[in-house]
Amino acid sequence: MKVLNIWEKMSAAKKASIALIFAKFCQKGIAMVSTPIFTRIVEPEQYGIITNFTSWQNIIIIIATLNLSQGVFNNGMLEFKKDRDQFTISVLFLANFCTIVCFGLYSLLKNFLHPYIGLSDTFMLLMFIYMLFFPAYSYWSCRQRFEFKYKLLTVLTIGITLFQMTFGVIFVLLSDIENQAFAKVFATEIITIIVGAIMYIVMLCKTGFRIKKLYIKYAFKFNIFLVPHFLAMNVLASGDKVMITNMVGKAQTAIYGVSYTAASTIQIFWQAIEASWTPWLYEHLKEDNKEPVKERANQIITMFAVISVLCMLFAPEIMMILAAGVYMDGTSIIPSVTAGVYFTSVYALYMRVEYYSKKTGATMVGSVAVAVANVVLNYIFIQLYGYRAAGYTTLVCYIFLYLFHFWYTRFIGMKNIYNDKYIAILSGIMILITFFINLTYQSIMLRYGLITVLAVLLVIFRKQVIEQVKALF
């Protein structure tokens, strides 16, 4: 009853944050449970194909849908508050139109593109069908988060993940070795396609497909200049896997992919917080109320830094749970990738300010420059030091991206939104910790000594930690 009373007294934003964090933890938890299953029942080369498919899908979906759920959708929810249904269906029409155009172009150029993408026509057809229906679910989810309606979204998030894992395992076990990759991908995609189709029908029934050219023009104008930025971000996140596939091999891509999955698990915290953080931030910026923004940003980034350090310290144990044998070779990748994930959250803080101000002109310049640098660095250092170098080249690029967005927000006049000095000092400490923890993997006594010290500090300062967590939510 005490817990229920506390829950009832919470604001809608806090309830949504906690519920979505819970849903994301369940989602990633299920994914974490499924990873050791799939790494044991799927051949490494087939697992490499799955990783390659995911990498290409994350890149192509940006062009084929303009990635409208990122950037413009939250702005549209705020700007067209009284006409959100029509705005959503208009944006969905724009995304579908782009997908159909891209599929037509791919069909014409597939013989030229196939050697670079390395996926069969069956994989690509499934990918484009997914991209037709996924936006409907994505926009619905974004709107639910923006309006702090978390109940159905929480249930669906967990339910979809459970079905994807269950059907994935069944389909893989029923398939032969040569078709394991497609069986897993099909099981994952078809669940989202079905849910997206249902959401699509619901939206059509509510609006009668009455679209507004004004909304289409607004969304296109806003996001078209962000497409290079989104592509650059995916090159940073997925390009290394594609390059490892082409330069080293599919088996090494599988090892790197599992390590990347282990490290990026901590991103669930940021994704869940950001979902409710964005509308909260926009409202406070609108009222020019900066002090609460500084305080909460410090709390978020500090907690995320602690979670990142814990992920690095327990990297060997995480890899033992996720995969066995040859995959353990990827343990040393986890610190650099984890630090990279930390810096994505830091630059995202500044990025949201840019979105709010609608001054995103130079955003793509910085992102594209960093992505090109990442490709060049990967090409040089993967050849020199092997696939592990990709984690460090990506980390360096994320650091530069943070510095760029810090500078750009000041350039456009959005100063003193955050406690910049605190964030800079914390980020510098994170870089030092990343390199130091990697050295501790050679000495189990040293690593467990650090874990013990951290545990003792958490116990000693438990009251302060609890207070900070309560203030955050």
Side-chain angles (χ1 to χ4, degrees), residues 262-280:
S264 61
T265 301
I266 62 169
Q267 209 165 16
I268 59 175
F269 171 81
W270 178 253
Q271 289 172 346
I273 286 293
E274 193 183 28
S276 56
W277 160 260
T278 301
W280 184 89

Side-chain angles (χ1 to χ4, degrees), residues 97-121:
F97 176 78
C98 293
T99 301
I100 292 167
V101 170
C102 286
F103 180 70
L105 290 172
Y106 170 77
S107 299
L108 291 171
L109 302 171
K110 65 180 180 179
N111 291 332
F112 170 75
L113 294 172
H114 179 73
Y116 299 98
I117 297 176
L119 295 168
S120 68
D121 289 347

Side-chain angles (χ1 to χ4, degrees), residues 343-363:
F343 276 99
T344 63
S345 68
V346 177
Y347 89 73
L349 287 174
Y350 294 95
M351 190 80 172
R352 284 298 169 189
V353 175
E354 294 167 30
Y355 285 170
Y356 172 80
S357 67
K358 299 179 187 177
K359 295 176 181 177
T360 57
T363 301

Side-chain angles (χ1 to χ4, degrees), residues 380-393:
I380 295 169
F381 289 101
I382 288 175
Q383 290 186 97
L384 291 174
Y385 301 106
Y387 68 95
R388 292 182 190 84
Y392 290 96
T393 56

Side-chain angles (χ1 to χ4, degrees), residues 87-97 132 135-136 139 200 203:
F87 175 78
T88 303
I89 199 68
S90 300
V91 170
L92 182 57
F93 170 81
L94 175 60
N96 282 174
F97 176 78
L132 273 176
Y139 302 157
Y200 207 121
M203 288 180 191

Side-chain angles (χ1 to χ4, degrees), residues 185-347:
V185 168
F186 180 80
T188 303
E189 303 285 283
I190 197 65
I191 301 298
T192 308
I193 289 169
I194 292 169
V195 174
I198 294 169
M199 297 298 178
Y200 207 121
I201 293 167
V202 170
M203 288 180 191
L204 286 177
C205 292
K206 284 181 76 175
T207 62
F209 210 76
R210 292 188 301 274
I211 61 173
K212 275 190 178 180
K213 290 182 180 178
L214 171 68
Y215 297 156
I216 293 174
K217 187 178 178 181
Y218 171 85
F220 182 80
K221 241 175 118 180
F222 191 104
N223 256 52
I224 192 64
F225 296 108
L226 288 174
V227 166
H229 159 72
F230 292 133
L231 281 172
M233 292 303 94
N234 267 280
V235 167
L236 278 173
S238 305
D240 44 8
K241 302 181 191 76
V242 173
M243 292 185 75
I244 290 168
T245 299
N246 292 324
M247 294 174 66
V248 186
K250 292 176 183 176
Q252 285 75 15
T253 304
I255 296 170
Y256 186 86
V258 172
S259 302
Y260 200 96
T261 300
S264 61
T265 301
I266 62 169
Q267 209 165 16
I268 59 175
F269 171 81
W270 178 253
Q271 289 172 346
I273 286 293
E274 193 183 28
S276 56
W277 160 260
T278 301
W280 184 89
L281 174 67
Y282 283 11
E283 290 294 342
H284 280 71
L285 290 178
K286 190 177 180 181
E287 296 167 5
D288 197 29
N289 190 10
K290 295 177 182 178
E291 285 307 312
V293 172
K294 289 181 181 179
E295 186 179 349
R296 183 167 288 192
N298 283 357
Q299 291 165 349
I300 290 172
I301 211 68
T302 302
M303 186 178 289
F304 198 62
V306 172
I307 293 170
S308 300
V309 171
L310 288 172
C311 181
M312 294 179 198
L313 284 170
F314 287 100
E317 287 75 19
I318 293 170
M319 285 301 290
M320 284 175 67
I321 295 168
L322 286 179
V326 68
Y327 291 99
M328 289 299 296
D329 195 43
T331 303
S332 59
I333 299 167
I334 291 180
S336 58
V337 176
T338 303
V341 174
Y342 164 81
F343 276 99
T344 63
S345 68
V346 177
Y347 89 73

